[in-house]
Amino acid sequence: MNYKNIILSATTALTTLCSCSLIQPDDIVNPNVDEETYLKSTGAMTTWVNGTNQKFAVNIGYWCQMVEILSDNYFNNYTRSSNVFDIPRILYTDDDVVAMQRAVGTMREMADYGIETVSREDAPTRAQLFNLYTVKAYGSLLAGETFVGLPMTSGGDIHPWQEHLQQALETLDNTLTYGADASDSAFVFTLKARACYALGRRDEAVNMARRSLRLDANLLHQVTFDGANSINSDIQQAVWLNWFQPLPRLDFLDPKYFQLTSDEQRPITLAKAEENYLIMAEAAVSQNDLATCKTLLSQLLDLVKSRPVQTQLNDQLEKRDNGVYKVYPNDPSLRVRASADDSLRSALIIDRQAPALITVPYISGTSVTPAMIAQTDSHDAMLELIYLMRQEIFICEGRRVTDLGIRLPVCEVEAAHASNAAGYTTARIPEFIPLGQEMDAFTVDEATKTVTIKHNMNRVIVSHRTSSDVVPFE
């Protein structure tokens, strides 16, 4: 199976299973297939890989929905989804914390069952092993980036986030073994660069990033959905159906996921070449090499500009007022500033009102210009520019929460089984994160046609760059 575009099957009997124990979510054994019968069935590995991919895709869509509202990227302006993550308030008793922990655990468990059990009865292909190891590694990566700690085995003791990232690196070594081509290898090296970046291993991260770019300078690796068979993406539903509203200065990037047909489900990017440039640029800044950083960001900007955009998209139903909390700006004449201390910028809010049709980037987009890169001449200003580009380029891909240093706790159910749960049941919300929904706060002055964001969170991140929570290379 070519994992670059996962083809999902809705016909497998395993798509409703939540773990490798072949039980239904309510713990009732599936009467139609027991484990022994399944393992002896024809095409058991193909069926398991398809079921794993289906569950993986659904979990990624849900994951992106939850972490996007937990960040400053989006505000949940509707009654569906979490209404406390925007505060942010993260309790270990929260059902969404439980579900997010279950999501990464399911990735690990389903991959392991295929690798360790199904493979003994039905020999896997190299592509199937690449697929399963990727799912396992990605689960470990999310665990390490987003939680204070999690178990590494079902019902086991809790391991700190650093160990999950190390496990991701080890699993990626296995993944690399089964890659079919240079693009597969580039994908693995990008994920390794991402894990090393989170661990603060600058030289290793740069090495992995360079290796990836040498292999595939335009890398794009995505997980796909199957709307015709109701394998849908939660984050697409949230942004296309207008539950979530973007921070006004990110308006031009929304919606990253849209529908051109009634059952279209847009893919979600797992890795792309842009990440490697961002890692190398940040490494250069950490060494006060602004010249190299500018060169890398210019190359990155060329890559972003080469990515496709959707033109002639009808988003006229988006009035920016579909919610119960507040109306968002919908006037393209408005200028926006990232805080009261920032300059006003035009063209960040786009015209969606009839008869206007919009153009929106759906792989990567940024408001950063060559002039902005060229004119930036200090360490902190360059670092802030990098984090702005990270925010814009990775929007809707579930990455911003990690840059903000927010970490989820172990859920109550799992904590009850762990002997070392103390210290892991409280979320990590850095003291510099504004509470009370202030990350999403802004004011509109109709007289001057301006929008002012309350907090420039990229500047907040940089001003706390010596904190262990953010900016891993400093």
Side-chain angles (χ1 to χ4, degrees):
M1 176 177 293
N2 187 344
Y3 194 82
K4 296 182 189 70
N5 276 300
I6 301 172
I7 306 301
L8 302 167
S9 169
T11 60
T12 173
L14 300 176
T15 57
T16 59
L17 302 183
C18 64
S19 75
C20 61
S21 60
L22 294 180
I23 58 176
Q24 299 290 357
D26 56 3
D27 293 341
I28 298 175
V29 176
N30 187 333
N32 299 314
V33 54
D34 60 24
E35 185 172 10
E36 183 177 356
T37 301
Y38 162 69
L39 289 173
K40 298 297 184 182
S41 65
T42 302
M45 178 58 77
T46 296
T47 301
W48 189 262
V49 170
N50 284 345
T52 299
N53 287 340
Q54 183 265 358
K55 196 68 176 179
F56 179 68
V58 171
N59 282 340
I60 291 296
Y62 169 74
W63 182 278
C64 288
Q65 181 193 136
M66 299 315 300
V67 293
E68 287 299 309
I69 54 172
L70 184 54
S71 76
D72 58 333
N73 285 349
Y74 279 91
F75 178 73
N76 181 18
N77 207 29
Y78 205 53
T79 54
R80 299 190 185 187
S81 196
S82 174
N83 294 116
V84 298
F85 273 18
D86 270 317
I87 295 173
R89 184 168 72 232
I90 314 168
L91 302 177
Y92 84 132
T93 54
D94 191 311
D95 287 343
D96 286 313
V97 172
V98 175
M100 292 176 72
Q101 180 173 333
R102 182 177 294 133
V104 296
T106 297
M107 294 176 198
R108 180 192 68 238
E109 294 287 330
M110 293 193 75
D112 277 344
Y113 189 76
I115 294 165
E116 298 170 6
T117 302
V118 182
S119 65
R120 292 201 296 265
E121 303 294 336
D122 185 11
T125 64
R126 291 177 61 87
Q128 287 171 333
L129 287 172
F130 182 84
N131 193 153
L132 291 171
Y133 276 116
T134 293
V135 171
K136 180 177 180 178
Y138 207 80
S140 296
L141 190 58
L142 293 182
E145 287 180 334
T146 319
F147 286 85
V148 293
L150 284 181
M152 285 184 169
T153 57
S154 180
D157 281 346
I158 299 164
H159 293 256
W161 61 269
Q162 295 93 333
E163 293 184 22
H164 288 273
L165 291 173
Q166 183 58 43
Q167 184 180 62
L169 288 168
E170 293 168 4
T171 303
L172 286 167
D173 286 337
N174 290 323
T175 312
L176 189 62
T177 302
Y178 299 105
D181 54 28
S183 185
D184 280 347
S185 297
F187 167 63
V188 174
F189 284 129
T190 298
L191 292 187
K192 293 188 77 170
R194 175 174 162 182
C196 289
Y197 171 80
L199 287 166
R201 299 179 186 173
R202 184 181 64 198
D203 293 346
E204 291 176 70
V206 169
N207 180 44
M208 294 297 109
R210 285 175 176 161
R211 294 180 72 175
S212 179
L213 288 173
R214 283 198 294 267
L215 290 165
D216 188 350
N218 298 291
L219 172 71
L220 178 65
H221 197 113
Q222 299 179 303
V223 59
T224 62
F225 298 81
D226 183 1
N229 289 296
S230 299
I231 312 301
N232 298 329
S233 167
D234 283 352
I235 184 60
Q236 175 168 309
Q237 186 178 38
V239 299
W240 181 241
L241 296 184
N242 310 332
W243 302 355
F244 292 2
Q245 302 295 350
L247 199 66
R249 63 182 179 78
L250 303 173
D251 180 271
F252 72 103
L253 298 168
D254 179 77
K256 194 168 197 170
Y257 311 119
F258 46 83
Q259 284 186 300
L260 300 179
T261 62
S262 61
D263 61 4
E264 182 184 26
Q265 293 290 304
R266 305 293 301 178
I268 294 176
T269 297
L270 301 181
K272 53 190 177 184
E274 286 88 333
E275 177 135 28
N276 297 303
Y277 284 107
L278 286 163
I279 287 172
M280 293 190 299
E282 189 169 338
V285 172
S286 73
Q287 297 172 302
N288 290 311
D289 186 353
L290 300 191
T292 295
C293 178
K294 288 184 178 185
T295 297
L296 290 165
L297 291 184
S298 296
Q299 292 169 347
L300 169 60
L301 202 57
D302 290 339
L303 174 61
V304 171
K305 289 179 178 178
S306 76
R307 295 301 196 184
V309 297
Q310 179 62 48
T311 61
Q312 301 293 299
L313 180 65
N314 187 334
D315 198 28
Q316 293 165 11
L317 293 179
E318 173 60 87
K319 307 295 185 184
R320 294 291 182 226
D321 61 356
N322 182 34
V324 297
Y325 299 106
K326 56 186 175 182
V327 175
Y328 272 64
N330 195 31
D331 182 351
S333 70
L334 290 167
R335 293 179 298 160
V336 183
R337 52 188 167 201
S339 75
D341 298 324
D342 283 276
S343 300
L344 289 163
R345 301 186 65 193
S346 302
L348 297 183
I349 295 175
I350 58 178
D351 187 4
R352 304 167 195 274
Q353 302 168 59
L357 300 176
I358 69 169
T359 296
V360 63
Y362 57 87
I363 300 300
S364 294
T366 182
S367 65
V368 173
T369 65
M372 291 171 66
I373 294 171
Q375 293 166 9
T376 303
D377 57 5
S378 71
H379 173 282
D380 284 9
M382 188 65 77
L383 197 54
E384 183 180 330
L385 195 68
I386 288 171
Y387 275 86
L388 172 60
M389 295 185 78
R390 286 183 65 89
Q391 182 177 26
E392 293 177 336
I393 287 169
F394 293 138
I395 190 173
C396 267
E397 294 174 13
R399 305 295 303 279
R400 180 63 168 178
V401 161
T402 302
D403 285 352
L404 292 168
I406 297 173
R407 291 187 175 276
L408 278 65
V410 169
C411 72
E412 182 180 27
V413 174
E414 198 69 55
H417 295 289
S419 64
N420 65 334
Y424 292 103
T425 57
T426 301
R428 176 59 184 163
I429 302 177
E431 51 83 23
F432 51 80
I433 297 293
L435 304 179
Q437 300 180 343
E438 284 198 2
M439 279 199 295
D440 303 303
F442 61 88
T443 57
V444 180
D445 188 328
E446 291 291 350
T448 60
K449 290 292 185 181
T450 59
V451 179
T452 303
I453 311 297
K454 186 164 188 178
H455 300 284
N456 181 345
M457 290 306 300
N458 294 308
R459 186 166 300 152
V460 171
I461 290 170
V462 172
S463 66
H464 293 85
R465 59 188 173 80
T466 59
S467 165
S468 60
D469 296 307
V470 293
V471 194
F473 291 162
E474 293 290 323

